[in-house]
Amino acid sequence: MRAAPPPLASDPTALSRLLGTALDALREGAQVRSGPLPAGGPEAVARKVAALGAVLPDTGTGPDEALRTLVRALAEGAADPAHPLCAAHLHTPPLALAAAADLAASALNPSMDSWDQAPAASALEAEVTAALAAEVFPAAKAPDALVTTGGTESNQLALLLARERHPDVRIVVGANAHHSFRRAAWLLGLPEPVTVPTPTGVMDPAALAEALDRETGPVLVAATAGTTDEGLIDPLPEIADVCAAAGAGADLHVDAAYGGPVLLSRTHRRLLDGLDRARTVTVDLHKLGWQPAAAGLLAVRDTQDLAVLGHTADYLNADDDTEAGLPDLLGRSLRTTRRPDVLKTAVTLRAFGRSGVGALVDRCMDLAQEFADLVEKAAGFDLHARPVLTTVLFRPTDADDTTVAAIRRTLLAEGRAVLGRARAEGVLWLKATLLNPHTTSGDLARFLTLVEGSTHR
């Protein structure tokens, strides 16, 4: 007699019990780890994972054991973005609410490629993308946005749209631009982007104007609102002026993957003045939005720009179905099957509103200023510059680049702190990217104590 098949996620009793097992395993794994990162480095972590046994045994261990063992191992070996001493990257600790919503999305498993697989999810996505596009382009008549996996996909889509408008388009980026632009140009068969100098860390409008003067064909200028290394924002109004002066053949895209959610802050939104003059804008809500990855957007000033993404597969969007009123979802992404990532964002926005999310942005930006104050006042430390967003670059005074790199790796190997590294003005700096609103003043001081202790070894 055959055994009954395992329960599905639609079985609330089974899911609830298994969720309890997973939460217990998360707690146990975090207690064993105790810090922001497992100690011992890559080899120690790999040994522990290998010791778990066969990935595909002949006979399974059962749901409870498999879930408990592997979730606990993942938690024990995690770089935990919720730990206040984990601040190397644009790797946010997700809100509990957003994670709960993401679980619901996984349990229901809508596939966002046809209406009959995602009736409510497709309607919700249309509402949320319209609302967020209006935040980016408040004066536009028909703004729109697509849900993406993050900044890399959004930037690639922006380049694709530009190529479809002008097959001979040339991409112009700052030296501070995200690496995804060069990869996207390669994938799309476009020439290597023209690079404009960024001597102060941001794009120089005068140098941009000179670069555009040398171009004879259409261009897409890609500015940045929140650089990966320093959290800087290019002078968007001046860059938009340069593009406007160059004529209709110069469009502006802004990679605001990091800085975009600052729009929701009443205190700091002026930092993004000029953003609405772009034709396309990248925004990530799994950075300054506290969403589980993935939660990216590409916003467009005019929804007609998205028409070129239209695509037909008779089993998903047959002409007669579309004519009968079934929404056509294939033009909403380059992917076919995709998760309803919009649900967690919709729940977060409804729960906390513009003011609540904006307050989280303000909190993290205040933490960056506080940490910069600590570095400036601490004997034996240098601050690169006052932070613009939530990134702070610092280093021990008189330490050379080799020492700075070694300090970071020592803290990683010991599992005591996770700091990034960034090169600015030819010098290597330690980087703290402060995205945890629960970080305290004591946590900030602890960074300096740990770095100082590693310096004198």
Side-chain angles (χ1 to χ4, degrees), residues 357-411:
V357 178
L360 290 174
V361 172
D362 292 346
R363 167 66 179 159
C364 290
M365 293 182 73
D366 288 346
L367 286 168
Q369 295 298 328
E370 182 180 351
F371 188 49
D373 290 341
L374 284 176
V375 174
E376 284 187 323
K377 294 174 183 176
F381 283 94
D382 293 334
L383 176 71
H384 172 59
R386 299 297 306 186
V388 175
L389 293 173
T390 69
T391 300
V392 181
L393 301 188
F394 69 105
R395 57 183 278 154
T397 302
D398 299 328
D400 60 18
D401 288 359
T402 300
T403 300
V404 170
I407 290 169
R408 174 179 175 270
R409 287 193 293 269
T410 295
L411 292 173

Side-chain angles (χ1 to χ4, degrees), residues 36 80-81 83-91 417-420 431-435 447:
D80 181 5
H83 193 288
L85 298 181
C86 188
H89 302 287
L90 289 164
H91 180 197
V418 188
L419 290 166
K431 178 175 69 170
T433 309
L434 300 169
L435 295 176
F447 275 123

Side-chain angles (χ1 to χ4, degrees), residues 2 298 402 436:
R2 291 182 177 178
L298 177 70
T402 300
N436 187 341

Side-chain angles (χ1 to χ4, degrees), residues 147-334:
V147 175
T148 70
T149 54
T152 294
E153 183 185 354
S154 294
N155 289 336
Q156 182 179 348
L157 271 173
L159 267 62
L160 174 62
L161 296 178
R163 190 195 69 179
E164 294 305 291
R165 292 192 299 269
H166 305 289
D168 57 342
V169 70
R170 191 70 184 264
I171 311 303
V172 180
V173 301
N176 61 354
H178 193 262
H179 65 84
S180 59
F181 288 107
R182 286 172 176 78
R183 176 173 284 188
W186 169 67
L187 287 169
L188 294 169
L190 295 170
E192 177 79 9
V194 174
T195 301
V196 175
T198 56
T200 63
V202 296
M203 187 183 288
D204 179 2
L208 173 63
E210 292 177 6
L212 295 190
D213 285 342
R214 293 191 292 269
E215 295 298 322
T216 58
V219 298
L220 179 71
V221 175
T224 305
T227 59
T228 303
D229 279 349
E230 300 181 61
L232 302 180
I233 297 174
D234 285 340
L236 301 180
E238 292 85 350
I239 290 171
D241 288 343
V242 171
C243 291
D251 287 329
L252 175 60
H253 169 70
V254 178
D255 178 3
Y258 181 5
V262 173
L263 285 171
L264 302 179
S265 164
R266 289 190 179 93
T267 305
H268 299 291
R269 64 176 297 140
R270 292 297 301 273
L271 291 171
L272 296 181
D273 283 355
L275 184 70
D276 60 340
R277 297 175 62 185
R279 188 158 186 166
T280 52
V281 174
T282 288
V283 178
D284 270 6
L285 292 170
H286 55 243
K287 293 183 173 67
L288 276 177
W290 298 278
Q291 300 298 292
L297 292 170
L298 177 70
V300 298
R301 194 192 318 145
D302 186 349
T303 189
Q304 287 302 312
D305 279 356
L306 301 177
V308 297
L309 300 179
H311 178 68
T312 299
D314 196 57
Y315 75 105
L316 293 173
N317 62 343
D319 289 344
D320 57 320
D321 277 349
T322 302
E323 291 167 3
L326 295 183
D328 178 2
L329 303 184
L330 281 188
R332 303 297 297 176
S333 177
L334 294 180

Side-chain angles (χ1 to χ4, degrees), residues 50-67:
L52 297 174
V55 172
L56 184 61
D58 289 336
T59 301
T61 61
D64 291 301
E65 188 280 337
L67 185 63

